[in-house]
Amino acid sequence: MSEPFKTYLSFPRLLEGNSPDLDWEATLGDLPTYHFGLKSDSLVSEVVRQFQRHALLPGVLIWEDIESEEPQLVGLLSRRQLLEFFIRPQGGEMLSSQPLGVCYSYGGFPMLVLPETMTILEAARYARRRSPELIAEPIVVAHRGNPAIPYSILNIDDLNIAHWQIRGIETQVRYERTQIQMIQSEKMSNLGRLVDGVAHEILDPVGFIWGNLTHLNEYAQGLMELLSAYEKHFPQVPPEIEAKQEEIDLDFVRSDLPRVVASISGGADRLNRLATSLQNFCHIDNVHPKPADLQGSLDGIVLLIQSQIKGEIEIIRHYGQVPPISCYIGQLNQVFMNILTNAVSALIDRAVRQDWVEEFGPVHRVQRSDRPRIEITIKVSAMTDDQGDTPRGESNQESWVLIKISDNGLGMSSSQLKKILESFSAHRRADKETSLGLSYQIVTAKHGGKLNLRSQLGVGTEFEIWLPLT
């Protein structure tokens, strides 16, 4: 008999768990288990003595071919099974002198073997799926990295207690997160009202400026025409008037005044569009969705992030004929903002390197087609089978609006992409809320749409947002 299995078959002992603190990621290896096994030809009386000495010992593992390099695990005989044998008429007298293998062959149940790396939540689901007569039976835990202790026994009560502890922690965390989200939503709602009020106050004086610019332009043109008429009929200018003309540089004023009016007009128009974009972005959604212009919303968000772009990133728009769709536009604006700001962040480093190459490396100058850029596409499209779970036979129906936002940044590695895709799951969102995870929830759960993410290292990243037209 090999030395590790001599130790393994000697006496039962308790294996302490790896971690006393349980959380959502806790595994079976974190729970205390019992290490106890006997050969199949061992007597039942030996098991009875061990059960009397160790009141919490849930069962015994039955082994055969101990002398070989790979001993075989026959099965698990639990305390409850043995007790059922002994309460039968003359059961104790019959079984006490019998080998374990014979006793197990009388009524042994199939054992449930789970790896120690399995989470407690998942293990509890497997345990509950067993037939009713096996619900109270212990579980065999497989230890792959320990040849001296290949298997141990987990009391089902310990698993259930740990499971409910974790579920209690999960419920408490979800409750606290819900409270935080409610407070955050109220803060954002108040901030939205505040920004909307500020934008409204900006639009009022902008309206005064914009309304008077037309009159100012007409007055300026009239004065210039009047001055030209005076010069035509009175070519001889008195010295005092001539000195005044030189003082104010009349020729420059004549050429520059239209440009000043045009500059004021452009500034007022930009301020008006910026304030309007703020109002649209801070739109507070009602209980029911309303028709909204997606192209106008995206244009407004692009205007808001112009300060981050600073002309270094090219924005290319491909807008098709898309009717207003019924949606919660305030939440979709948040989705668009999250995706666009992520794209801008991914392109900033590339823009810096591009500037360096253009200044210090003219031989290796990057062509315009390789400049940092973001492409925004909006169109009515049909969803094919590889783009979603549309039933076959319905892919030709153009009942979806596609919003595609792509960049030619550095892209993501497979591990980074996997981590982001995992954040889309409900469990990961509960564990740690992310902007893209929240965006996925808004698109899918709130609007019944689909959010696809593709990325290739060195090529770029592409988001596809599919929203139903009806």
Side-chain angles (χ1 to χ4, degrees), residues 207-221 261 265:
F208 300 149
I209 297 173
W210 189 261
N212 289 319
L213 273 175
T214 303
H215 303 299
L216 176 62
N217 190 36
E218 292 177 356
Y219 299 159
Q221 290 181 357
V261 174
S265 176

Side-chain angles (χ1 to χ4, degrees), residues 2-187:
S2 61
E3 193 63 31
F5 281 95
K6 283 183 180 179
T7 305
Y8 175 63
L9 298 177
S10 296
F11 298 102
R13 59 192 177 96
L14 177 65
L15 303 177
E16 297 291 343
N18 297 331
S19 174
D21 299 325
L22 300 179
D23 55 19
W24 293 334
E25 303 296 333
T27 64
L28 294 179
D30 296 324
L31 297 179
T33 57
Y34 292 87
H35 177 210
F36 179 42
L38 291 175
K39 294 188 295 182
S40 60
D41 58 358
S42 300
L43 296 179
V44 174
S45 57
E46 174 64 21
V47 179
V48 173
R49 284 194 297 269
Q50 296 297 340
F51 281 166
Q52 290 174 345
R53 292 177 183 176
H54 305 277
L56 298 179
L57 186 63
V60 57
L61 295 173
I62 305 173
W63 293 87
E64 66 180 14
D65 296 334
I66 296 298
E67 302 296 337
S68 65
E69 295 182 0
E70 296 183 0
Q72 300 297 318
L73 179 62
V74 176
L76 167 68
L77 182 64
S78 68
R79 178 187 291 269
R80 187 178 68 87
Q81 292 173 353
L82 189 61
L83 179 61
E84 288 181 353
F85 290 145
F86 271 80
I87 62 177
R88 296 174 183 174
Q90 299 181 349
E93 298 176 0
M94 294 177 54
L95 294 176
S96 295
S97 59
Q98 296 292 329
L100 275 176
V102 175
C103 180
Y104 183 77
S105 64
Y106 283 157
F109 293 114
M111 57 183 176
L112 175 62
V113 182
L114 300 176
E116 64 175 344
T117 55
M118 179 177 288
T119 63
I120 293 174
L121 294 178
E122 187 176 1
R125 287 195 292 269
Y126 276 100
R128 289 196 300 269
R129 292 173 185 169
R130 296 184 293 180
S131 56
E133 64 272 15
L134 300 178
I135 288 294
E137 290 297 315
I139 295 173
V140 178
V141 179
H143 304 272
R144 302 302 184 192
N146 191 347
I149 309 176
Y151 298 98
S152 62
I153 308 170
L154 172 63
N155 194 325
I156 190 64
D157 293 333
D158 293 337
L159 176 63
N160 290 333
I161 291 173
H163 173 254
W164 286 111
Q165 285 178 344
I166 295 175
R167 292 302 299 269
I169 295 172
E170 181 182 7
T171 302
Q172 179 66 24
V173 171
R174 287 182 181 274
Y175 172 77
E176 293 176 354
R177 188 173 294 277
T178 302
Q179 295 294 325
I180 293 174
Q181 288 178 346
M182 291 176 61
I183 296 173
Q184 185 67 18
S185 297
E186 184 63 25
K187 288 182 178 179

